Amino acid sequence: MTLTIPTPLERWRLLLGDAAEHACGSLGDQAAAADAALDWLYGRDPERGGRDERSAGLGPSSLSTPDWINSIHTLFPKEVIERLETDAVERFGIDEVVTNLEVLGRIEPSESLLRAVLHTKHLMNPEVLGAARRLVAEVVRRIMERLQTEVRQAFSGTRDRRRRSRMKVATNFDFKRTIAENLHRWHPHNRRLYVEHPVFMSRSRRHADPWDIILLIDQSGSMVDSVIHSAVMAACLWNLPGMRTRLVAFDTEVVDLTADVADPVELLMKVQLGGGTDIGRAVAYAQGLIANPTRSVVVLVSDFYEGGSEYELVRRVKALVEGGTRVLGLAALDSRADPAFDRAMAERLVAAGAQVGAMTPGALAAWLAEKLQA
């Protein structure tokens, strides 16, 4: 049953905390349970005089993580539960939220919890890892469902106004030519244009020859959102004709995960977040994969904080561009496209001929579709 608070005084008491009890009175059983659940989490905040969870005391026993999960699912509406679970993982680092089997069975799948799983999967025993995989699969399914439509629309072909089409569908409708060719049917008295022959445009094929798309994904901890969306994006591109998609993850090492591109859940479970960053080494690996530079695109997803040789990174990017390969550097590839990155290095890559920015996956699909026209 969702929490109901019968009196304004109880609302003020929950808002102000224990210090207001003398003025607002004590809480009823249900409100007291909500107060305990909120205090279990937000009582850790050092700015509010947060407690040390390891210290002993004579007060009532604290909730365990599974008890807390059960409590908030009983007391609060869904939107509040999601906020509490997100704060538990991201704000207070309570990894047990995603490493406890009982907790994973109750928790609502979300992108924030997927991020937490990727950070903590190395702590999980096989049984817990199986439950976490199911959570990952559900979140990936939701993201892919959203992205597949955007990718298909982007790659459905450009309208070609030079050629007419017999396919009379709305997306191919040529408004300007239809007006021009039916102007003699304008009726001045009725102020209407009567269209007898609507005109439709043809669509040009974009992939007469195969393109090689190489996604280089920085798997440092700060790039976790981009790692998630890159994995799903690669799976969407994998199914498109006329394209060969590769996905390579890197930190100071380079790992080719192309074999798992069709299964983004498996791919994400193999990603190892954290560690240093050698972007130049990843770009060198990409150079070795390119057979036809003029039909190749390298998408480098990174914050551009280079732990290796900055000179080598810029030199290799410049060599790719001069050889005819399109290079796109993305400081973020996620739903927000709001990056934090090394702007000085980004400017050097732009000077070397790369395009640099931040995109949502849908925007990346549109960019690729535009650049890959035959």
Side-chain angles (χ1 to χ4, degrees):
M1 180 181 296
T2 302
L3 172 66
T4 57
I5 305 174
T7 68
L9 285 177
E10 282 191 317
R11 292 176 184 270
W12 280 108
R13 164 61 183 81
L14 283 172
L15 179 65
L16 297 174
D18 292 341
E21 186 162 335
H22 68 283
C24 300
S26 59
L27 297 170
D29 292 343
Q30 196 179 32
D35 186 54
L38 294 171
D39 184 63
W40 183 89
L41 182 62
Y42 296 109
R44 304 161 192 266
D45 191 340
E47 293 183 3
R48 299 172 59 185
R51 61 184 178 277
D52 182 349
E53 288 298 299
R54 295 168 296 181
S55 63
L58 299 177
S61 60
S62 61
L63 294 168
S64 67
T65 304
D67 288 340
W68 178 73
I69 291 289
N70 289 332
S71 178
I72 65 173
H73 275 263
T74 300
L75 292 167
F76 300 108
K78 180 180 179 181
E79 60 272 15
V80 176
I81 294 170
E82 290 178 354
R83 173 60 185 270
L84 293 173
E85 290 173 342
T86 299
D87 281 353
V89 173
E90 296 189 344
R91 182 174 173 185
F92 298 108
I94 306 172
D95 294 339
E96 190 183 1
V97 170
V98 289
T99 58
N100 182 288
L101 185 61
E102 184 180 347
V103 172
L104 284 172
R106 290 295 308 272
I107 209 159
E108 174 69 21
S110 66
E111 289 187 33
S112 64
L113 292 167
L114 171 53
R115 292 193 292 271
V117 168
L118 296 185
H119 279 299
T120 60
K121 64 181 188 293
H122 64 285
L123 304 173
M124 301 176 183
N125 63 44
E127 189 177 12
V128 172
L129 194 60
R133 183 183 292 271
R134 289 190 290 273
L135 184 151
V136 170
E138 174 57 21
V139 179
V140 167
R141 183 194 65 78
R142 295 177 186 179
I143 298 173
M144 179 165 281
E145 193 175 68
R146 183 174 69 248
L147 288 188
Q148 278 181 329
T149 300
E150 296 178 346
V151 171
R152 286 173 183 155
Q153 288 175 346
F155 282 89
S156 61
T158 54
R159 292 181 296 179
D160 186 349
R161 296 183 182 274
R162 296 169 298 178
R163 296 188 295 126
R164 297 191 181 188
S165 172
R166 295 181 180 179
M167 298 294 293
K168 296 181 179 181
V169 295
T171 53
N172 292 348
F173 182 62
D174 190 334
F175 177 79
K176 291 184 178 179
R177 188 169 292 179
T178 296
I179 295 295
E181 295 194 7
N182 290 274
L183 276 176
H184 62 283
R185 294 184 177 87
W186 169 254
H187 197 293
H189 179 71
N190 294 336
R191 300 185 62 81
R192 290 185 179 180
L193 177 67
Y194 294 91
V195 175
E196 182 176 351
H197 300 293
V199 180
F200 296 86
M201 292 172 284
S202 179
R203 285 186 176 266
S204 60
R205 292 189 61 190
R206 289 185 167 172
H207 307 294
D209 299 315
W211 280 83
D212 288 309
I213 311 300
I214 302 170
L215 296 171
L216 300 178
I217 312 303
D218 185 340
Q219 59 180 353
S220 57
S222 62
M223 297 297 295
V224 62
D225 281 328
S226 294
V227 169
I228 292 168
H229 287 84
S230 297
V232 178
M233 184 70 179
C236 294
L237 295 175
W238 183 261
N239 296 319
L240 294 176
M243 297 176 62
R244 291 187 293 257
T245 304
R246 304 187 72 103
L247 189 142
V248 178
F250 68 91
D251 40 40
T252 53
E253 301 295 328
V254 176
V255 182
D256 195 324
L257 297 173
T258 304
D260 296 306
V261 161
D263 184 355
V265 175
E266 182 64 26
L267 191 154
L268 286 171
M269 296 306 284
K270 288 184 177 179
V271 166
Q272 300 294 325
L273 296 174
T277 307
D278 191 339
I279 309 172
R281 187 171 186 176
V283 174
Y285 183 83
Q287 286 180 296
L289 298 176
I290 295 172
N292 185 354
T294 60
R295 303 290 289 180
S296 300
V297 178
V298 173
V299 180
L300 171 61
V301 184
S302 175
D303 56 14
F304 308 125
Y305 287 101
E306 175 63 297
S309 169
E310 294 185 355
Y311 170 80
E312 277 297 302
L313 169 58
V314 175
R315 183 182 71 81
R316 291 186 180 278
V317 167
K318 185 176 182 180
L320 282 172
V321 174
E322 291 179 346
T325 298
R326 293 166 171 82
V327 179
L328 173 64
L330 293 182
L333 179 63
D334 55 41
S335 57
R336 294 172 298 175
D338 182 21
F341 62 102
D342 186 335
R343 295 182 181 275
M345 175 53 69
E347 290 172 0
R348 292 177 65 183
L349 295 181
V350 169
Q355 294 187 49
V356 173
M359 295 183 182
T360 64
L364 174 59
W367 185 91
L368 287 171
E370 177 185 349
K371 299 301 179 183
L372 272 55
Q373 292 182 61

